[in-house]
Amino acid sequence: MKKALKRFVKIRFQTKVEQHDHTDTNDFTTRGEIFHKGSQDYLRFEEAIPGFEKVQTTMKWDGHELMLIRQGTVLMRQAFVAGERTLGRYVTQEASWETEAITEKVLVQWPRGKTRGRIEICYQFLLQGQETGRHYVRLTLEEE
C-alpha cells in the first residue's frame, strides 16, 4: 500500500456563532497537514477550544460529506452535508450529548502549490435538541 503524501499548511481558523442577539467569535492560527488516503482528503491540526486543552482535529472530505472528528479532552464526530440534517456526538469528561447539524453550506478548496485553499461551513447546531445558534466556520489554508 502506498503511503499518503503529507503536505504541511498554515491554517487560520475562524468561527462565529450567532444566537438570538448575541455573537461569539474565535480566531486562531496553527499548522497542520493535508493528505489523501483512499478516496478521501484529510486535514489534521491541533485546535484551541476555549476552556479546554488543545484538541487533535481531523476534517475528512469525500467530495460530498465533510466529517469533523475531534479527539482529546473533547471528543466529537459530526458530518456536514449541504442541504441535509446530520446526527453526531459531543463528549467531555462530564457528559455525552447527541448533536445535530442542519447544514446550509459546505465549501472545500484544497491549496495547490503555493496557492491558498479554504473550507467554509454554515450550519444550525443543536445539542441534545437545544438550538445553539447559527455557526459559521472558515479555515484559510496556505501550503508551506
Side-chain angles (χ1 to χ4, degrees), residues 52-85:
F52 293 95
E53 294 177 21
K54 288 191 177 181
V55 173
Q56 182 69 38
T57 299
T58 302
M59 292 182 154
K60 182 169 62 169
W61 173 245
D62 68 4
H64 174 70
E65 175 185 272
L66 182 66
M67 176 66 71
L68 172 67
I69 304 163
R70 289 179 170 140
Q71 298 174 309
T73 53
V74 170
L75 299 175
M76 182 178 182
R77 190 170 183 89
Q78 181 67 56
F80 299 96
V81 179
E84 293 188 21
R85 184 181 289 252

Side-chain angles (χ1 to χ4, degrees), residues 26 30 42 49 55 63 72 85 90 94 115 124-125 136 138:
N26 186 27
T30 188
Y42 293 80
I49 298 176
V55 173
R85 184 181 289 252
Y90 186 91
E94 292 79 33
T115 63
Q124 294 284 341
F125 194 64
Y136 300 90
R138 180 182 180 116

Side-chain angles (χ1 to χ4, degrees), residues 5-115:
L5 178 64
K6 294 181 180 179
R7 298 180 294 149
F8 294 96
V9 290
K10 183 172 82 173
I11 303 165
R12 181 169 180 205
F13 188 100
Q14 300 167 285
T15 61
K16 180 170 75 169
V17 180
E18 296 174 346
Q19 187 176 26
H20 307 296
D21 58 353
H22 182 74
T23 301
D24 282 323
T25 60
N26 186 27
D27 189 340
F28 68 90
T29 302
T30 188
R31 291 185 66 222
E33 58 189 21
I34 296 174
F35 58 97
H36 183 83
K37 186 175 175 184
S39 63
Q40 300 180 335
D41 291 305
Y42 293 80
L43 172 64
R44 187 174 294 149
F45 59 95
E46 275 194 352
E47 185 176 357
I49 298 176
F52 293 95
E53 294 177 21
K54 288 191 177 181
V55 173
Q56 182 69 38
T57 299
T58 302
M59 292 182 154
K60 182 169 62 169
W61 173 245
D62 68 4
H64 174 70
E65 175 185 272
L66 182 66
M67 176 66 71
L68 172 67
I69 304 163
R70 289 179 170 140
Q71 298 174 309
T73 53
V74 170
L75 299 175
M76 182 178 182
R77 190 170 183 89
Q78 181 67 56
F80 299 96
V81 179
E84 293 188 21
R85 184 181 289 252
T86 52
L87 298 177
R89 180 137 312 268
Y90 186 91
V91 180
T92 67
Q93 291 179 345
E94 292 79 33
S96 175
W97 299 279
E98 182 178 277
T99 61
E100 187 174 354
I102 304 164
T103 307
E104 298 168 28
K105 174 185 178 181
V106 176
L107 171 72
V108 178
Q109 296 176 330
W110 298 114
R112 302 283 181 231
K114 292 292 182 183
T115 63

